[in-house]
Amino acid sequence: MTVIDHNVPSTWAQTLTAPLKAALQNPWVESIVRLGAVEDSLRALHPMLSLSTVRARVVRIAQETADTKTFVLQPNALWNGALAGQFVRVRVEIKGRQVERVYSLSSRPGARRLAITVKRQPGGLVSNYLHEHTQVGDVLTLSQAAGDFVLPAQLPAKLLLLSAGSGITPVMALLRDLQARQYAGDLVFFHACRTPADAIFAQALDGMALSFPALKRITHFTATAARLTPDTLRWAVPDLDQRATWMCGPSAFMEAVHGLWQDAAIAAPLHSERFATTPLLPASSPGTPVKVRCAASAQDFTTRGGDALLVQAERAGLSPKHGCRIGICRSCQCTKTSGTVENLQTSELSSAPNELIRLCISAARSDVTLDL
């Protein structure tokens, strides 16, 4: 695959579009023509055209396993590139509604084409839509890359990459980055999944093993070797405490590994990527109805139960922008101009005016006004 310096088109696009975007956002100009109207017109001309939004055409779809697909994307010139291990927010329109979800990039940095690998989730709105409806030639809307699950510039002498299930997605990007950087240290990649048929990227990893001499692979199949335990990991990687580790997988898996690090007082660094929310705490005042005023839409509603503001707003017929729904991507972030909210992850109450809150993990505890 031809590699193109992703900074060149990005810099060119920003140089060209930034002054035009700024001019369109001038209050005097905005009173005549909205930036949104210009964006709509550009999209009508060509689905990839935008002054401010990364759009990416699907150029290839690879079936990794029975329930996992990789979507290879060609972004427009506004894409700023990414570091291995980072994620993007993917926005699609489903039945007239804009919906976002967070997906890790599985491609290596530096390539003009990028990739997301999506495991189909039972009842998952976006994952099922992508699997059933997205075809080569379709255009998706992306955020710029974000996240700090990345490798340092100065690589450790001994590394462990640890993943389970679909948690292999960002770890695969790290592996591809290490191969591109010709890492010559001591590298162990340990992956756990149910069966060989569930092994995502199996073919790509087989090819990588032939051309990447630093790579040592260990695969644990839970259907035949039982659930992965800290003792199993200790046995498979006896020098665990000497390896800087990057880990991604289901919450229970990662909590067990974090517990091993704590119980054994392992000093080697452990980095983890977590796409599962901290369990929501019981609301302090469940069922107490309060009024929520949405200043931007002039639509008010009264809460029912102790659910998060995002859920309450959707019950009231509103469609706030959102992504992960678990407090990670910040797509649903908005300004609370007044009132008290409770963080459902920490149980912290806040009454500060004009503060940014995430609707998906915030519950109203008094009458609240939102810039929504």
mmCIF file of all heavy atoms in Angstrom, residues 6 63 86 163 235 238 286:
data_model
loop_
_atom_site.group_PDB
_atom_site.id
_atom_site.type_symbol
_atom_site.label_atom_id
_atom_site.label_comp_id
_atom_site.label_asym_id
_atom_site.label_seq_id
_atom_site.Cartn_x
_atom_site.Cartn_y
_atom_site.Cartn_z
ATOM 1 N N HIS A 6 0.526 12.151 5.783
ATOM 2 C CA HIS A 6 -0.808 12.676 6.053
ATOM 3 C C HIS A 6 -0.774 14.130 6.468
ATOM 4 O O HIS A 6 -1.796 14.792 6.470
ATOM 5 C CB HIS A 6 -1.512 11.833 7.127
ATOM 6 C CG HIS A 6 -0.780 11.790 8.416
ATOM 7 N ND1 HIS A 6 0.073 10.778 8.749
ATOM 8 C CD2 HIS A 6 -0.772 12.647 9.457
ATOM 9 C CE1 HIS A 6 0.570 10.995 9.950
ATOM 10 N NE2 HIS A 6 0.079 12.120 10.401
ATOM 11 N N GLN A 63 -14.013 -8.987 6.162
ATOM 12 C CA GLN A 63 -14.664 -9.803 7.180
ATOM 13 C C GLN A 63 -13.589 -10.485 8.008
ATOM 14 O O GLN A 63 -12.909 -11.393 7.547
ATOM 15 C CB GLN A 63 -15.568 -10.841 6.526
ATOM 16 C CG GLN A 63 -16.465 -11.594 7.499
ATOM 17 C CD GLN A 63 -17.725 -10.815 7.867
ATOM 18 O OE1 GLN A 63 -18.391 -10.256 7.007
ATOM 19 N NE2 GLN A 63 -18.053 -10.782 9.159
ATOM 20 N N GLN A 86 -5.035 5.355 19.172
ATOM 21 C CA GLN A 86 -6.069 6.365 19.375
ATOM 22 C C GLN A 86 -7.395 5.909 18.768
ATOM 23 O O GLN A 86 -7.475 4.904 18.054
ATOM 24 C CB GLN A 86 -5.629 7.704 18.772
ATOM 25 C CG GLN A 86 -4.484 8.352 19.534
ATOM 26 C CD GLN A 86 -4.229 9.777 19.093
ATOM 27 O OE1 GLN A 86 -4.039 10.057 17.905
ATOM 28 N NE2 GLN A 86 -4.199 10.692 20.047
ATOM 29 N N SER A 163 -4.297 -8.302 25.172
ATOM 30 C CA SER A 163 -5.664 -7.991 24.735
ATOM 31 C C SER A 163 -6.564 -9.198 24.889
ATOM 32 O O SER A 163 -6.108 -10.347 24.972
ATOM 33 C CB SER A 163 -5.674 -7.514 23.278
ATOM 34 O OG SER A 163 -5.203 -8.524 22.403
ATOM 35 N N TRP A 235 2.166 -17.468 34.424
ATOM 36 C CA TRP A 235 2.846 -18.652 33.905
ATOM 37 C C TRP A 235 3.299 -18.438 32.458
ATOM 38 O O TRP A 235 4.401 -18.826 32.070
ATOM 39 C CB TRP A 235 1.915 -19.859 33.995
ATOM 40 C CG TRP A 235 2.533 -21.125 33.466
ATOM 41 C CD1 TRP A 235 3.329 -21.991 34.127
ATOM 42 C CD2 TRP A 235 2.372 -21.648 32.140
ATOM 43 N NE1 TRP A 235 3.702 -23.034 33.302
ATOM 44 C CE2 TRP A 235 3.122 -22.841 32.074
ATOM 45 C CE3 TRP A 235 1.667 -21.234 31.001
ATOM 46 C CZ2 TRP A 235 3.196 -23.625 30.925
ATOM 47 C CZ3 TRP A 235 1.738 -21.997 29.857
ATOM 48 C CH2 TRP A 235 2.488 -23.176 29.815
ATOM 49 N N PRO A 238 6.491 -15.169 32.419
ATOM 50 C CA PRO A 238 7.099 -15.193 33.759
ATOM 51 C C PRO A 238 7.848 -13.922 34.137
ATOM 52 O O PRO A 238 8.016 -13.637 35.324
ATOM 53 C CB PRO A 238 8.052 -16.398 33.682
ATOM 54 C CG PRO A 238 8.256 -16.659 32.232
ATOM 55 C CD PRO A 238 7.016 -16.240 31.549
ATOM 56 N N PRO A 286 -33.427 9.378 43.479
ATOM 57 C CA PRO A 286 -34.160 8.795 42.360
ATOM 58 C C PRO A 286 -35.644 9.092 42.470
ATOM 59 O O PRO A 286 -36.234 9.032 43.546
ATOM 60 C CB PRO A 286 -33.874 7.300 42.494
ATOM 61 C CG PRO A 286 -33.563 7.107 43.941
ATOM 62 C CD PRO A 286 -32.874 8.360 44.372
#
